[in-house]
Amino acid sequence: MIWNSIGMEFVLLPAGEFDMGSPSREKRRKLWESPVHRVSIKKPFYLGRYPVTQEQWSKVTGSNPSYFRGEKHPVETVSWEEVQAFIRKLNAFETTGERKSVYRLPTEAEWEYAARAGTTGSYFFGNDETKLKEYAWFLENSGLETHPVGLKKPNPWGLYDIYGNVGEWVQDEYHISYKGAPPDGRAWENQFQGISTPVRIRRGGGWNGNAGCCRSAERLFAPQDQKLNSLGFRVVKEV
């Protein structure tokens, strides 16, 4: 585990392989979580132990756009585009002399790999969604608001709030299925810019999502300029 200068805490995740997506028998699954396919994560990487907090966002940008206020609450109401600007500033902020830091959003495959933490069920704790309250703030227990990060139990790799609290932007553009998805876990983005605003993937559910929205394979999407008070992010630090 490592920390950076603004208090972000990172967990080192190992290289490895996993099956991405949900099998046809999984409860509450969506068609766009298919087909299940093998993904190989070639290199270890650091991932934020928590979603980025309002305190951390403010230290880098000098502002706080969040609807639900609290320094230790996850930052939200930030578009994918604003997240990219934050990451550029964070990289500049953390780079000193010869030591260059590389921060970025996780790819969709990296996010699911991290959420699963070596497990294969609907959730990292199995298939019994009645246990979700121990691990996540979601529609049944959130009180329709965000909560300070780290109050629920972590997953087996020590990541908190990977389900619920806020959904999380990832790097990838939305595709209607996994047919043609990269087998090496890199971001899947369209080669050519379309006429409309690109649509990006968001993961992990949020305070306003039901238990089905918090599954490891669940994938939602939004235009990259959209801001939601149930949507934040966490960052990768490359090794």
Side-chain angles (χ1 to χ4, degrees):
M1 193 159 37
I2 60 168
W3 287 262
N4 69 9
S5 69
I6 61 167
M8 287 179 163
E9 202 172 321
F10 292 89
V11 179
L12 182 61
L13 305 187
E17 295 187 350
F18 77 111
D19 288 329
M20 186 172 179
S22 61
S24 58
R25 65 184 179 275
E26 184 165 309
K27 185 181 175 185
R28 297 183 186 256
R29 74 183 295 271
K30 310 288 196 310
L31 285 174
W32 50 81
E33 298 164 15
S34 303
V36 174
H37 57 292
R38 195 75 175 163
V39 174
S40 178
I41 304 293
K42 302 288 189 187
K43 297 194 309 182
F45 61 97
Y46 287 105
L47 184 64
R49 183 179 283 277
Y50 312 102
V52 173
T53 65
Q54 294 174 34
E55 180 180 33
Q56 293 160 354
W57 179 278
S58 296
K59 283 181 179 176
V60 173
T61 67
S63 66
N64 183 3
S66 302
Y67 179 80
F68 300 107
R69 290 302 179 103
E71 284 193 343
K72 303 300 182 186
H73 289 238
V75 70
E76 26 78 5
T77 319
V78 288
S79 69
W80 184 93
E81 294 164 348
E82 289 171 330
V83 169
Q84 297 295 332
F86 169 88
I87 289 171
R88 287 192 293 272
K89 288 181 179 178
L90 179 63
N91 277 314
F93 198 83
E94 288 288 302
T95 298
T96 54
E98 297 298 307
R99 188 173 62 84
K100 186 177 182 189
S101 294
V102 179
Y103 295 92
R104 58 176 174 79
L105 276 179
T107 69
E108 186 177 16
E110 288 171 339
W111 190 97
E112 186 170 324
Y113 177 69
R116 289 187 178 281
T119 66
T120 58
S122 298
Y123 307 92
F124 57 70
F125 51 81
N127 295 316
D128 181 4
E129 64 183 48
T130 65
K131 294 181 180 177
L132 184 60
K133 289 179 184 176
E134 300 175 36
Y135 299 92
W137 298 108
F138 66 115
L139 191 59
E140 288 186 26
N141 67 350
S142 69
L144 302 183
E145 61 184 0
T146 64
H147 292 262
V149 300
L151 297 181
K152 294 293 186 177
K153 292 180 183 177
N155 82 350
W157 284 353
L159 300 168
Y160 290 81
D161 298 283
I162 201 91
Y163 303 148
N165 214 357
V166 289
E168 299 178 17
W169 287 114
V170 295
Q171 183 67 30
D172 304 44
E173 287 187 62
Y174 170 70
H175 296 78
I176 200 164
S177 82
Y178 285 133
K179 288 178 181 173
D184 59 0
R186 71 180 185 275
W188 193 13
E189 300 190 77
N190 293 324
Q191 195 172 359
F192 303 105
Q193 186 67 52
I195 298 169
S196 59
T197 302
V199 174
R200 301 284 172 173
I201 295 290
R202 49 193 179 109
R203 286 299 206 118
W207 59 263
N208 59 348
N210 63 26
C213 293
C214 295
R215 293 172 301 108
S216 295
E218 168 79 2
R219 55 201 305 253
L220 296 170
F221 38 88
Q224 68 181 32
D225 59 358
Q226 188 164 17
K227 305 177 190 186
L228 300 168
N229 63 12
S230 58
L231 183 54
F233 68 107
R234 73 180 73 212
V235 294
V236 164
K237 185 181 189 298
E238 293 188 353
V239 174

